[in-house]
Amino acid sequence: MALIAFIGLGQMGSPMAANLIKQGHQLTVYDISPQAVEGLVSCGAKAAASPAQAAKGAEFVITMLPNGDLVQRVLFGENGVAETLSPRALVIDMSTIHPLQSDSLCREMQQRGFSYMDAPVGRTSEQAVTGTLLILAGGTAEQVARANDILMCMGSELVNCQGPGMGIRVKLINNYMSIALNALSAEAAVLCEALGLPFDVALQVMSGTPAGKGHFTTSWPNKVLKGDLSPAFMIDLAHKDLGIALDVANQLHVPMPLGAASREVYNQARAAGRGKQDWTAILEQVRICAGLSPKVKL
Amino acid sequence: MALIAFIGLGQMGSPMAANLIKQGHQLTVYDISPQAVEGLVSCGAKAAASPAQAAKGAEFVITMLPNGDLVQRVLFGENGVAETLSPRALVIDMSTIHPLQSDSLCREMQQRGFSYMDAPVGRTSEQAVTGTLLILAGGTAEQVARANDILMCMGSELVNCQGPGMGIRVKLINNYMSIALNALSAEAAVLCEALGLPFDVALQVMSGTPAGKGHFTTSWPNKVLKGDLSPAFMIDLAHKDLGIALDVANQLHVPMPLGAASREVYNQARAAGRGKQDWTAILEQVRICAGLSPKVKL
Amino acid sequence: MALIAFIGLGQMGSPMAANLIKQGHQLTVYDISPQAVEGLVSCGAKAAASPAQAAKGAEFVITMLPNGDLVQRVLFGENGVAETLSPRALVIDMSTIHPLQSDSLCREMQQRGFSYMDAPVGRTSEQAVTGTLLILAGGTAEQVARANDILMCMGSELVNCQGPGMGIRVKLINNYMSIALNALSAEAAVLCEALGLPFDVALQVMSGTPAGKGHFTTSWPNKVLKGDLSPAFMIDLAHKDLGIALDVANQLHVPMPLGAASREVYNQARAAGRGKQDWTAILEQVRICAGLSPKVKL
Amino acid sequence: MALIAFIGLGQMGSPMAANLIKQGHQLTVYDISPQAVEGLVSCGAKAAASPAQAAKGAEFVITMLPNGDLVQRVLFGENGVAETLSPRALVIDMSTIHPLQSDSLCREMQQRGFSYMDAPVGRTSEQAVTGTLLILAGGTAEQVARANDILMCMGSELVNCQGPGMGIRVKLINNYMSIALNALSAEAAVLCEALGLPFDVALQVMSGTPAGKGHFTTSWPNKVLKGDLSPAFMIDLAHKDLGIALDVANQLHVPMPLGAASREVYNQARAAGRGKQDWTAILEQVRICAGLSPKVKL
């Protein structure tokens, strides 16, 4: 049983806090909405008049807030957590915020002698209710170990993201990839419809290729990730196929801005002399455009 | 045992033709390269001096050529297949060509009283050698049934793509999706590296979400594909997360042209009043931008 | 002669403040850099220990700061301008900041009973020294009139942007257009080089067309801006020409991400049924994608 | 007075041919449309039954056709120009076609001992009627000199584009730039509208800056074109301003795909170490992405 301050009782925070209470922890809660606070009080929590009051005497302080400026204010603002926090307590920010702001909050906490970790969550509000969230724990090995039992009251799976700030980073990467992929998938599906191809046929085929399974575990591991750019499928040919797809799409009036952008990425890769390399060399190409040092010899 | 004309003996065509011979079929082959022809002759094929000569008396004519203009010339040019082809023969184009050009070849063949189907292949030249290609068969049910045994001499899996021109269409969609996805995946991986996040941690998380599994079989089936746009994850929030990712990427000097293009797709979806809809509504949004009729009520 | 508080003595602010002194005004200055303050004191300014002290008794308060958060803090933070400002004074923010943040600062000032206007500047630090800046004055007619003589000590040209917040808006639009146009111009020039075309020949031709003169004063006024979309040059043809240019660029390895994005804009315009309209109908198309009401009947 | 074969009597070709007749030249014309031919016959032209017949005895052969494949067929197809052309005649292709195809036609003609030049036109069908087209003459000095009087019967201005294939190249560059610029201008104008800024105010300001005047004759000549990348306006600041504009546009629901693409170009320029260089260094950056050798030292 732990003494926990929980700050931020929104659509996610409220059921998460309730699950902590159900597991026997003693909660003091704070939110700007009196109704949200009342909801938790009726579950057995104590209400606090400010973040500072909530944090007083707590072993863990959990924040679940809409953005980083609010986390900043809750920690360091007037009547903020930092005013009463014990140096032995662990602050766990479970909000989804800007990772570079999370880093700066972490530094500020350390400079003041406090312990701070990031642990944003995956999945949705349904899983928050059933306590089956995915917890992305960013912190030192010691912090993650210490927080583990608390966090597992709210989730069914915890990934140790291997260091401070890594929870919020993996959340960002995962969301970026899935949100942009959604738009790309829509382009493919609409081109499919415009071509009069039954979507289930396309699905059947794509389910066995990187189109459906992604590249991370299919085309990349034995090629670019191992430093082998000898071609299984050449960039020149991939570029040509993209050109045909865009040509068809433009004939059929299907706008494909992501497809058009990707063709120029391959175009630039060819300009850089990669035309005869494996298509997974695009990873190396994008790395170099980002100013990173080459990993694989050209 | 069938009499087969095989035209186009490149990196793919040569081993495919050889596999047909191994299975007991009698082949007459044609290619502009005498060496390629000799290679097959040494396996037991007869050499023809032209496509017309190869096609004479054949039950099946298979073309495996680099582009549609060559298929056009091989079929309808001087000394082309059409000059000698029997109306009872079946022509199978296994080349990867422009689908609208494939349609026009198919029409032209029908008008001349010939039978033509498309059956491009998936996988690589290694699988061509081992006879384990993926065959994407586009044709009438009767054509696909008739070609099945022949095609399965070259491949280990055949997908009946449900109609003339559908093989070449599914090839295009699959390649478009996987090639563009490769570029998007590179953006995510490079952002990961720039953020100092171990790639295996990112992989572990993404392997359980649409970021790694794609949307076709995860987020879409119970939402947009069923006509339900009530939000599990709102477009407004997806748009916000993309904005954070791009902001971080721009701070860290990671160019993300696909990410930038996708943000504008979400931006336009919000302008169209979809901000509170589920993120899978992007499919419907892209459909409408392509001039298609709405499937789901706003 | 006016009593002026000048806050923000950077590369632009210092010479601007110096020019006010030269024209006989009495300045009290503040900056976080003591050296910057000393520089102005040696020109005849008084030093203030805080924005509040600088603003005390001033008829005009001018801010010239790197971003909107700093303007916010200078006005409303501890020892900020608002603590001592006279309700009869006029605050002129000459910084280049986010326009929606400028609006919110303006509202906040009004709510506190103060007078605030925006007047960002065009041109560079050279013109700041010579007092020949372009002043983009956003404010009520009365504010602009009152500020005119003060502003003209720093600039040689003043545009009355016709309302509060309009100076900062026009700055944003102008910079957006010129910065993005720079990237587009580079694509055209590099394609020119890759094609082996002498740049001066291209320049000679473009100097007489919208390519060099822009559309605002050439193709638009008699067409889309008048509501006439009858084609002088059809969207279908413009789309075709873009396709050729991108095809050439992709053959010659010239990446053109802006060109590729623009082709998809025309693609979408065609999907919306605008193929036979004048190319200036793109303006109307983009308006509608932004959720604005049609101005011109389809 | 010259004997001229004119092939291609469409919306542009017909009035161009008519103007040649008015100036006293003797025309033999060919088109697939009998009506188009009749129209010219009624003006005084002779009708030919094929390109070959038209070209027989002609001193000049002018082609004005919709695409390069047609020019190819008219020259080298059955009953084509090449069958009857005199080696002393000059063939002038005035069509707008793919420049690399134009090069290949030119080579083919030379190999057969014929003289061929490109001279596409600028402006519209109105100017074709009034004989005030802009003629973009690509050819040797001798060819351009020889064609000059003929071409000036159809246009009011001739630009000697300084070499074979240069007319068609300059046409492509000019059209690319003006068509893509149209889309970019629409983004700026719609952002202007969404911000509530009167367009005439924006125009007034932009008319004095590169936003309205373009970069070719303003920001570039004294900077990147002279090899000077010392900053008048730094890439870092341009990148920041683009970020603000995109942020505002995304708040206001104005999709700006070209703006988003351009931000990633600046992003990549910063990754390449150009943040403190002048914004005109984007030209050099794009050159290098296209695989060209650096002109300016970093």
Side-chain angles (χ1 to χ4, degrees):
Chain A
M1 203 267 332
L3 299 173
I4 302 174
F6 202 108
I7 297 164
L9 302 169
Q11 202 184 357
M12 297 297 284
S14 285
M16 289 162 69
N19 278 323
L20 286 166
I21 295 172
K22 277 184 208 154
Q23 301 296 319
H25 297 292
Q26 191 173 320
L27 261 69
T28 310
V29 301
Y30 174 77
D31 195 275
I32 48 164
S33 152
Q35 286 144 312
V37 171
E38 273 169 44
L40 267 293
V41 167
S42 72
C43 298
K46 281 192 218 167
S50 70
Q53 197 184 355
K56 196 168 189 179
E59 296 164 74
F60 296 90
V61 176
I62 295 176
T63 48
M64 189 64 183
L65 295 157
N67 62 58
D69 287 350
L70 284 175
V71 180
Q72 167 98 33
R73 199 186 307 168
V74 156
L75 295 180
F76 305 121
E78 213 179 320
N79 295 318
V81 165
E83 294 183 3
T84 60
L85 189 67
S86 156
R88 288 180 308 278
L90 174 58
V91 175
I92 309 172
D93 182 32
M94 302 188 76
S95 322
T96 295
I97 68 172
H98 196 300
L100 305 185
Q101 188 171 23
S102 179
D103 290 356
S104 118
L105 292 172
C106 186
R107 269 194 307 274
E108 173 94 13
M109 289 293 278
Q110 286 179 322
Q111 282 161 8
R112 297 183 185 220
F114 296 126
S115 182
Y116 170 96
M117 68 178 285
D118 53 301
V121 300
R123 301 175 189 157
T124 71
S125 54
E126 280 180 43
Q127 281 78 32
V129 171
T130 54
T132 54
L133 291 169
L134 169 65
I135 314 277
L136 305 169
T140 62
E142 193 198 7
Q143 287 173 326
V144 174
R146 184 174 166 202
N148 186 76
D149 289 358
I150 301 296
L151 293 170
M152 288 305 285
C153 297
M154 297 174 279
S156 57
E157 187 183 352
L158 182 148
V159 177
N160 181 340
C161 297
Q162 299 181 17
M166 293 302 156
I168 197 68
R169 278 165 167 73
V170 87
K171 178 88 195 271
L172 183 86
I173 294 290
N174 180 71
N175 282 21
Y176 171 66
M177 185 65 197
S178 57
I179 294 166
L181 177 54
N182 189 34
L184 179 61
S185 304
E187 291 185 0
V190 175
L191 183 56
C192 185
E193 183 175 348
L195 278 166
L197 173 69
F199 188 54
D200 60 346
V201 172
L203 268 192
Q204 184 186 350
V205 171
M206 291 195 286
S207 70
T209 78
K213 296 158 83 176
H215 285 267
F216 301 135
T217 57
T218 60
S219 69
W220 285 15
N222 287 315
K223 286 287 174 182
V224 68
L225 296 182
K226 271 175 60 182
D228 176 7
L229 301 184
S230 65
F233 181 44
M234 269 197 295
I235 281 185
D236 277 346
L237 292 177
H239 176 260
K240 188 194 106 191
D241 283 2
L242 267 185
I244 294 178
L246 281 163
D247 187 48
V248 173
N250 272 274
Q251 280 187 57
L252 299 178
H253 300 183
V254 179
M256 305 211 302
L258 277 78
S262 70
R263 186 195 193 195
E264 300 308 311
V265 174
Y266 282 85
N267 190 3
Q268 193 176 340
R270 296 176 79 215
R274 297 186 183 279
K276 305 300 177 208
Q277 293 184 349
D278 189 61
W279 63 334
T280 62
I282 287 294
L283 172 59
E284 191 67 1
Q285 170 69 18
V286 173
R287 291 185 68 260
I288 286 167
C289 288
L292 300 172
S293 307
K295 272 190 183 160
V296 187
K297 275 172 290 184
L298 196 59
Chain B
M1 204 267 331
L3 299 173
I4 302 173
F6 202 108
I7 298 165
L9 302 168
Q11 203 185 357
M12 297 296 286
S14 284
M16 289 162 67
N19 279 322
L20 286 167
I21 294 172
K22 277 184 210 154
Q23 301 296 319
H25 296 292
Q26 191 174 319
L27 261 69
T28 310
V29 301
Y30 175 76
D31 194 274
I32 48 163
S33 153
Q35 286 144 312
V37 172
E38 274 170 43
L40 267 293
V41 167
S42 71
C43 298
K46 281 193 220 166
S50 69
Q53 196 183 354
K56 198 167 186 178
E59 298 163 73
F60 296 91
V61 176
I62 296 176
T63 47
M64 188 63 182
L65 295 157
N67 62 58
D69 286 350
L70 285 175
V71 180
Q72 167 97 33
R73 199 186 308 167
V74 155
L75 295 181
F76 304 120
E78 214 180 319
N79 296 317
V81 166
E83 294 184 4
T84 59
L85 189 67
S86 156
R88 288 181 308 279
L90 173 58
V91 175
I92 310 172
D93 182 31
M94 303 189 74
S95 322
T96 294
I97 68 172
H98 195 301
L100 304 185
Q101 188 171 22
S102 179
D103 291 357
S104 119
L105 292 171
C106 186
R107 269 194 307 273
E108 173 94 12
M109 288 292 278
Q110 287 178 322
Q111 282 162 8
R112 297 183 183 219
F114 298 126
S115 182
Y116 171 96
M117 67 178 286
D118 53 303
V121 300
R123 299 174 191 158
T124 71
S125 54
E126 280 180 44
Q127 281 78 32
V129 171
T130 54
T132 54
L133 291 169
L134 168 66
I135 314 278
L136 305 169
T140 62
E142 192 197 8
Q143 287 173 325
V144 175
R146 182 173 166 203
N148 187 76
D149 289 356
I150 302 295
L151 293 170
M152 287 306 284
C153 297
M154 298 174 278
S156 57
E157 187 183 351
L158 182 147
V159 177
N160 181 340
C161 297
Q162 300 180 17
M166 293 302 157
I168 198 67
R169 279 165 167 72
V170 86
K171 178 88 196 271
L172 183 87
I173 294 290
N174 180 71
N175 281 20
Y176 171 66
M177 185 65 197
S178 58
I179 294 167
L181 177 54
N182 189 34
L184 179 60
S185 303
E187 291 185 0
V190 175
L191 183 57
C192 184
E193 181 176 348
L195 277 166
L197 174 69
F199 188 55
D200 60 346
V201 172
L203 268 192
Q204 184 185 350
V205 171
M206 292 194 287
S207 70
T209 77
K213 297 159 82 175
H215 285 267
F216 300 136
T217 58
T218 59
S219 69
W220 286 14
N222 287 316
K223 286 288 174 180
V224 68
L225 295 182
K226 272 174 59 182
D228 176 6
L229 300 184
S230 66
F233 181 45
M234 270 197 293
I235 281 185
D236 277 347
L237 292 178
H239 176 260
K240 188 194 106 190
D241 282 2
L242 266 186
I244 295 178
L246 281 163
D247 187 48
V248 172
N250 272 275
Q251 280 187 56
L252 299 177
H253 300 182
V254 179
M256 304 210 305
L258 278 78
S262 70
R263 186 195 192 195
E264 301 308 311
V265 174
Y266 283 86
N267 190 4
Q268 193 176 342
R270 297 175 79 214
R274 296 185 183 279
K276 306 299 177 208
Q277 293 183 349
D278 189 59
W279 62 333
T280 62
I282 287 294
L283 173 58
E284 190 67 1
Q285 170 69 17
V286 173
R287 291 185 69 258
I288 286 167
C289 287
L292 300 172
S293 306
K295 273 192 182 159
V296 188
K297 275 172 292 185
L298 195 60
Chain C
M1 204 266 331
L3 299 173
I4 302 174
F6 201 108
I7 298 166
L9 302 168
Q11 204 185 355
M12 297 296 286
S14 285
M16 289 162 68
N19 279 321
L20 286 167
I21 294 173
K22 277 184 209 153
Q23 301 295 320
H25 297 292
Q26 190 173 321
L27 261 69
T28 310
V29 300
Y30 174 77
D31 194 276
I32 49 164
S33 153
Q35 287 144 311
V37 172
E38 272 169 44
L40 267 292
V41 167
S42 72
C43 298
K46 281 191 217 167
S50 70
Q53 197 183 354
K56 197 167 185 176
E59 297 162 75
F60 297 90
V61 177
I62 295 175
T63 48
M64 188 65 183
L65 296 157
N67 62 58
D69 287 349
L70 285 175
V71 180
Q72 167 98 32
R73 198 186 308 167
V74 155
L75 293 181
F76 304 121
E78 214 180 317
N79 295 317
V81 165
E83 294 184 3
T84 59
L85 188 68
S86 155
R88 286 180 309 277
L90 174 59
V91 175
I92 309 172
D93 182 31
M94 302 189 74
S95 322
T96 294
I97 68 172
H98 196 301
L100 304 185
Q101 189 172 21
S102 179
D103 291 355
S104 120
L105 292 171
C106 185
R107 270 194 306 274
E108 173 93 13
M109 288 292 278
Q110 286 179 321
Q111 282 162 7
R112 297 183 184 218
F114 298 126
S115 182
Y116 171 95
M117 68 179 285
D118 53 301
V121 299
R123 302 175 188 155
T124 71
S125 54
E126 279 180 44
Q127 280 79 31
V129 171
T130 54
T132 54
L133 292 168
L134 169 65
I135 313 277
L136 305 169
T140 61
E142 193 198 5
Q143 287 173 325
V144 175
R146 184 174 164 201
N148 187 74
D149 289 357
I150 302 295
L151 293 170
M152 289 305 285
C153 297
M154 298 175 278
S156 57
E157 187 182 351
L158 183 148
V159 176
N160 182 341
C161 297
Q162 300 180 16
M166 292 303 156
I168 198 67
R169 279 165 167 73
V170 87
K171 178 88 195 268
L172 183 88
I173 294 291
N174 180 71
N175 281 20
Y176 172 67
M177 185 65 196
S178 57
I179 294 167
L181 177 55
N182 189 33
L184 179 62
S185 304
E187 291 185 0
V190 175
L191 183 56
C192 184
E193 182 175 347
L195 278 166
L197 173 69
F199 189 54
D200 60 346
V201 172
L203 268 191
Q204 183 187 351
V205 171
M206 293 194 286
S207 69
T209 79
K213 296 157 83 175
H215 286 268
F216 300 135
T217 57
T218 59
S219 69
W220 286 15
N222 287 315
K223 286 288 174 181
V224 68
L225 295 182
K226 271 174 60 181
D228 176 7
L229 301 184
S230 66
F233 182 46
M234 270 198 292
I235 281 185
D236 277 347
L237 293 177
H239 176 260
K240 190 193 106 192
D241 283 1
L242 266 185
I244 295 177
L246 281 163
D247 187 49
V248 172
N250 272 274
Q251 280 188 57
L252 299 178
H253 300 183
V254 179
M256 305 211 301
L258 278 78
S262 70
R263 186 195 191 193
E264 300 308 311
V265 173
Y266 282 86
N267 190 3
Q268 192 175 341
R270 297 176 78 215
R274 297 185 183 278
K276 306 298 177 209
Q277 293 183 349
D278 189 61
W279 62 333
T280 62
I282 288 294
L283 172 60
E284 190 67 0
Q285 170 69 16
V286 174
R287 290 185 69 257
I288 285 167
C289 287
L292 301 172
S293 306
K295 272 192 184 160
V296 187
K297 275 172 290 183
L298 198 59
Chain D
M1 203 263 335
L3 299 174
I4 302 174
F6 202 109
I7 298 165
L9 303 169
Q11 202 184 356
M12 297 296 285
S14 285
M16 288 162 68
N19 279 322
L20 286 166
I21 295 172
K22 278 185 209 153
Q23 301 295 320
H25 297 292
Q26 189 172 322
L27 261 68
T28 311
V29 301
Y30 175 77
D31 195 276
I32 48 165
S33 155
Q35 288 144 311
V37 172
E38 274 169 44
L40 268 292
V41 167
S42 72
C43 299
K46 281 192 218 165
S50 69
Q53 197 182 355
K56 197 168 185 177
E59 298 164 72
F60 296 90
V61 176
I62 295 176
T63 48
M64 187 65 182
L65 295 157
N67 61 58
D69 286 350
L70 285 176
V71 180
Q72 167 98 33
R73 199 186 307 167
V74 156
L75 294 180
F76 305 121
E78 214 180 318
N79 295 318
V81 165
E83 294 182 3
T84 58
L85 189 67
S86 155
R88 286 181 309 277
L90 173 59
V91 175
I92 309 172
D93 182 31
M94 303 188 75
S95 322
T96 294
I97 68 172
H98 196 301
L100 304 184
Q101 189 171 19
S102 179
D103 290 356
S104 118
L105 292 171
C106 185
R107 269 193 307 274
E108 174 92 13
M109 289 292 277
Q110 285 179 322
Q111 282 162 7
R112 298 183 183 218
F114 296 126
S115 182
Y116 170 95
M117 67 178 286
D118 52 301
V121 299
R123 301 175 191 155
T124 72
S125 54
E126 280 180 44
Q127 281 79 33
V129 172
T130 53
T132 53
L133 291 168
L134 169 66
I135 314 278
L136 304 169
T140 61
E142 193 197 5
Q143 287 173 326
V144 175
R146 183 173 165 202
N148 186 76
D149 289 356
I150 302 295
L151 294 170
M152 288 305 286
C153 297
M154 298 174 277
S156 56
E157 187 182 352
L158 183 148
V159 177
N160 181 341
C161 297
Q162 300 180 16
M166 294 302 156
I168 198 67
R169 280 165 166 72
V170 87
K171 178 88 195 270
L172 183 87
I173 295 290
N174 180 70
N175 282 20
Y176 171 66
M177 185 66 197
S178 57
I179 294 166
L181 177 55
N182 189 33
L184 179 61
S185 303
E187 292 186 0
V190 175
L191 182 56
C192 184
E193 181 175 347
L195 278 166
L197 174 69
F199 189 54
D200 59 346
V201 172
L203 269 192
Q204 183 186 351
V205 170
M206 291 194 287
S207 69
T209 79
K213 296 158 82 175
H215 285 268
F216 300 135
T217 57
T218 60
S219 69
W220 287 13
N222 287 314
K223 286 288 174 182
V224 68
L225 295 182
K226 272 174 58 181
D228 176 7
L229 301 183
S230 65
F233 182 45
M234 270 197 294
I235 280 185
D236 277 347
L237 293 178
H239 176 261
K240 190 194 105 191
D241 282 1
L242 267 184
I244 294 177
L246 281 163
D247 187 49
V248 172
N250 272 275
Q251 281 187 57
L252 299 178
H253 300 182
V254 179
M256 304 210 304
L258 277 78
S262 69
R263 186 196 192 194
E264 300 308 312
V265 174
Y266 282 86
N267 190 3
Q268 192 175 341
R270 296 176 79 213
R274 297 186 183 278
K276 306 297 177 209
Q277 293 183 351
D278 190 59
W279 63 333
T280 62
I282 287 295
L283 172 59
E284 189 68 2
Q285 170 69 17
V286 173
R287 291 184 68 259
I288 286 167
C289 287
L292 300 172
S293 306
K295 273 192 182 158
V296 187
K297 276 172 289 184
L298 196 60

